[in-house]
Structures are given as structure tokens and as C-alpha cells.
Amino acid sequence: LTSQAFTPSVSQTLTPAEVGAQFFLTDSRIESDIFGARQDASMELGLAAAQKIETDLLGNFDNLTGGSVGAAGTVITWGYFFAMLSLLRGQNAPLPYVAVLHPYQWHQLGKAIAPGATVTNSPAIQDAVTRNFYVGSVSGVDIYTSANIDPDGSDDAYCAMFSRSALALDIRRAPRLEPERDASRRGWELNLSAIYAHGIWRPAFGVLGLFDAAAPT
């Protein structure tokens, strides 16, 4: 038995940054809005923060190095899906795996296996896919869709399949909403802020896909 020193080196670094947003609501606006302007504004800030964090994280897909499948204008198929899965297994990426697709890409996969399509699958598989249009699991891969995957301007969009350790999200301070009274302006500030870092952690444990993301007709 030969021992050796355990001397890991730094592979990736993440730099936390602060993001914030603010609404100002006048007293007259709050007092005259019977539907609850303050509650609506608070919800809007929270949704904006969630979208910002998700969009930042999804923007790291093109830095994955475990392989690439598809091309601009290519319609995604289950064959491409399993090609991405095979590439991940070939990289010895640890389970479990996650696939994140644009909703229009998942539409193509769902349509291909929906009841009435010319396929040779068991009814149980068809039922499982059509019952879980937004989130499903196929061959051990959890599938999510997100409209925050930004098409590239040509009706195409990147997607990815990866081991959970491929991406990193370091939340130093979760989104925090703080109201503050401003008497001189006769109203309320709603201040939301968060501190987090995001990036690639194990780039070889993720496979990039590029497929058509045109709106279905």
C-alpha cells in the first residue's frame, strides 16, 4: 500500500454579488387601491428576484464541457435526449441527473409520445409523460422546463442535462424584503435585496443541447 498526499487544487471560483430592486408606493396609492397595491408590489419584487436568480443560473449552460448535442434548427427528439444521457454516463458523472428544457422543446418530446402518436411504447409510459408536462422523470432523469431559458434570437435555445454538482448556486443572503417609511415623500419604499453567486462547478458533468424552440402552432 502506497500513500500519497491529498493536495487538491482550486478548480472553480464563485464571486458573490448583491442584487436589488425597489418600488415606491405613495400613501394615496395604497389608500385608494382596494385590491392591495402593497401586497401586489411585494409579490412582483419576489417574482422578479426569483426570475433573476434562475436566469443567471441557466445562463451557465454554454460553459458545460461534457459534450454537446443538436444544432440550430434541429428539433429535439428522444434520441437526442438519450444521447445526452449516454454522454453523461460516459463522463462518469454522478447520479442523479437533471434536464432543463425550454417549454417549446419539451412540447416536441411530449407530442412525440402522446397518445395517438405512432410510437411503440407501453400506455404506462405515455401516461407518465402526458401527466407531467411541466416536470417529469424519464430513465432516472428529472425533467424541468423553464421559460427563462432565453432563445438565441433565431427560434433556438440551449438546454442541458447535468449532474447536480455541475452547477453551483451559493446564496449568502436569501431575497429579503424590507419596507421603509419615507414621511417627506408621504409613502413607503419596498426594498428587496439578495446576495448570491452562481457558476459552473464541475463542467464535465454537464452536456449542452441546442435545439429549435419555435412556438408551437
Side-chain angles (χ1 to χ4, degrees), residues 5-174:
F6 179 63
T7 55
S9 59
V10 175
S11 175
Q12 308 292 332
T13 60
L14 300 177
T15 303
E18 185 174 22
V19 296
Q22 180 192 88
F23 281 139
F24 182 79
L25 298 175
T26 64
D27 290 341
S28 60
R29 171 68 184 278
I30 295 174
E31 293 160 358
S32 62
D33 191 337
I34 61 174
F35 297 106
R38 181 164 170 172
Q39 291 83 351
D40 290 344
S42 299
M43 181 180 295
E44 184 68 22
L45 286 172
L47 292 173
Q51 184 177 33
K52 168 65 174 170
I53 293 172
E54 182 172 296
T55 300
D56 285 346
L57 196 59
L58 297 177
N60 294 296
F61 281 176
D62 57 359
N63 292 317
L64 297 172
T65 62
S68 60
V69 175
T74 301
V75 175
I76 190 172
T77 65
W78 286 107
Y80 288 124
F81 180 91
F82 285 107
M84 298 173 75
L85 176 57
S86 297
L87 287 171
L88 269 186
R89 296 304 298 267
Q91 293 284 349
N92 286 320
L95 296 167
Y97 297 157
V98 173
V100 182
L101 313 174
H102 192 280
Y104 298 162
Q105 294 170 337
W106 175 241
H107 171 80
Q108 295 294 338
L109 293 180
K111 182 175 67 173
I113 202 171
T118 305
V119 290
T120 54
N121 295 311
S122 70
I125 295 177
Q126 294 179 342
D127 291 345
V129 172
T130 56
R131 184 170 56 245
N132 298 286
F133 184 83
Y134 296 105
V135 178
S137 181
V138 175
S139 295
V141 180
D142 292 330
I143 304 172
Y144 298 87
T145 63
S146 174
N148 292 320
I149 297 178
D150 186 23
D152 66 358
S154 302
D155 289 332
D156 300 301
Y158 288 110
C159 62
M161 185 183 297
F162 50 90
S163 173
R164 292 185 183 275
S165 58
L167 300 178
L169 177 62
D170 179 3
I171 298 181
R172 299 299 177 92
R173 188 176 76 223

Side-chain angles (χ1 to χ4, degrees), residues 21 41-43 45 174-179 190-193:
S42 299
M43 181 180 295
L45 286 172
R176 182 174 67 193
L177 182 64
E178 297 177 285
L190 294 180
N191 300 289
L192 185 139
S193 64

